[in-house]
Each structure stands twice: as C-alpha cells, then as structure tokens.
Amino acid sequence: MVIRYIKTVLAACAAMLFCGAMESCQGEKSDLGYVIVTDYVEASSGEDVSEALQQIIDANPNRTIYFPDGEYVISKPLRTPAEPTLSVALQLSNYAIIRAADDWSSDEAMICLGGKDAANNITTPGSNYYLDGGVIEGGGVATGVSIDSGRETVIRNTSIKNVELGIHVKRGANNNSSDCDISSVNIVGNNSPTSTGVLVEGYDNTFTNMRIGGVHTGFVLRSQANSLRNIHPLYYGARDESYETSCGFRDEAGNNWYEFCYSDEFSAAFEIAGSRRSLYNDCFAYWYSNQGKNHVAFRVEGKFNASVRNMNVGFGGHNAVENNAILQVSEAGGKGDFTNLYVENESVVTDAAHKRYMR
C-alpha cells in the first residue's frame, strides 16, 4: 500500500509539472516531443476554445500540436504559420472533432493552414507542416480547411463534415503555385445548391484517395498542373431544377491530369470551361437513377480538346431521362479524342456528338 501511495503521489506531481497553467505554455516543452492540447483546454466542455488553441499554436513553433479524442468548439478561424521557423503540425486523434460554433460567421475556413506569417521557403526545416486525422465539423455553414500560403503543405486522413466548402487551396506563394498534397480525405457537404467539395486556385498540387458527397459540385479546378487520382464525388441532393447544373468535376484552367476519377450521379460528370485541354485516364461516369433531365459524361463550354482514354460510362439501364450523352459541346471542332471508350447500355444514348472524336 505504501509503495502504491508513493507511486500515485509521484505520478500526480509529474502531471502537475508537465501540464502547468495556460499562461506558462509559452516556452514549456514536453519530453514527449509534442504539445497536448488538453493540458491547457478541456475537451468536450462546450465552451469556445478558439483563443486558447490559437495561443497554443503561436507559443509552440516547430512543434506537433496533438488533439486527443473529444470536441473542440471554435468561433473563428485557427491560423497556422507558413514561415518554416514558426510552423506547427496539427495532429488530431481519429475521434477528435473541431466543431464550428453555432454562431460561426467567418467567410474564412475553420482551419487556415499557412493563414499567418506567409512564406515561400522549402529550404528551411519546418516548411513541411500538415493537418492529419480527426474530424472538422462545419455546422452546415463553414468552410472546412484552406491552404493560404507556404509550400509542401499536407492534409491527410481527415474527415470534413457538414460544410459549405470542404477544402480551398488558394493561390500559392511561389508564383501562385501552392505545391500541396492532399490524400485520404473524406468530405461531406451541406447539400445546398452552392456547396462544393474542393476548390483549387493554386497550381501544382496532388489529390489522391478522396470521397466527396452531399455537394452540388464535387471538384473545381481554376489552376493548372494538378494531379487527381482516385477521386470519387457522389451526388445525393435534391432532384429539382438545380440538379441540372450539378457536376462532379469542373475544369476551368486545363492542363490537369485525372486518373481513376469517378463521378457518380451528377448531371454532368466532367465539365470543361472554354476549349481547354486536360488528360483523363481510366475515369468513370455512372448514373443509377432516372431522375433529372440530362445525364452527360462531358459537358464542354467551347470546343472539345480533351484526351479521354479508357473511359467507362454507365447509364444504369434506364431510358426515362430526356438526354443521355457522352459529349455535349457548345462549339463545333476541336482536337479532342476518345480512345477505348466503353458505354454501358449504349442504346439509351440520345446524342452522337462524341462519335466524331472516337479513335
């Protein structure tokens, strides 16, 4: 009993020395090599912890900030530094939830990676900061995560729920190049006609293994030199007049690469602004219902110049839709091509515009 008592006292003393008070977190270092958020704020208290979390970020440059299981309510954006000597990594336990407060009103994202101390520096250690794990809960109104500045930024293994916009990659510090890597992220929108899964304005990014649902538009690219692999947006919103403008992937810049990208149930699977060219390899467009008026694999607002290889299109065996089309273009001509195109239930296709581009 005496030995057990001594151990208990020693453990309590060690915990007190490690945790300290909030005001002493500046400069205090844990032997674990990372900072534990719940040493300074209470998880699942229901209280707004925005200020406290921002203080932890600001006071611990080049540290990993760890969020244990629990819920953390914020009423304004959390901003991490892009400057490598000040940057932090945000590591969330799988069941840690950062939740937007009921009165959230900011137009910015809940978590702004590189949202302060902008920098264009990949030579100094600390440039490779990240957000990993957990759940970002937007309350139906917020943007989940943005990448505002810096390079080598990573988002991975994260679920972003109930958001107006899931991820916003802004123009980067390196001549608009953001150079970020986003993988194994699941996004669920708020099912509004304005909701979008991912909006990309910076150049030179990679996106892999993502599932996106509950949005009107799955993926919007306003920049070039992006690589998308195994991206699966799924539409399950209203089938009213707004459905006709829904799309899985919208490319407004061209010179992007799509591989094994799968648009599911959107009115337009792939939409291309102007006469821009991108490369689509081993992609899919499928519809399992006969709701809506138009099911279109490629809708082009100009001439068709894309290269499409090994494309699978399935109309689910139904023929009640007014228009089932592989391709719709607003201008004739173009140098695009379809190579090795497979169409399931081709008898219901109502527009043969794609056939002039078959190779």
Side-chain angles (χ1 to χ4, degrees), residues 100-106 137-143 162-165 190:
D102 292 340
D103 60 351
W104 181 272
S105 60
S106 177
E137 164 57 59
V141 295
T143 294
N162 202 18
V163 287
E164 174 70 9
L165 171 59
N190 60 9

Side-chain angles (χ1 to χ4, degrees), residues 46-53 72-79 98-111 137 141-142:
E47 300 296 321
D48 179 9
V49 293
S50 305
E51 291 288 351
L53 293 178
Y72 306 86
V73 177
I74 61 173
S75 62
K76 58 183 181 180
L78 299 179
R79 306 178 192 278
I98 297 179
R99 182 182 298 277
D102 292 340
D103 60 351
W104 181 272
S105 60
S106 177
D107 292 331
E108 297 185 80
M110 295 171 61
I111 299 178
E137 164 57 59
V141 295

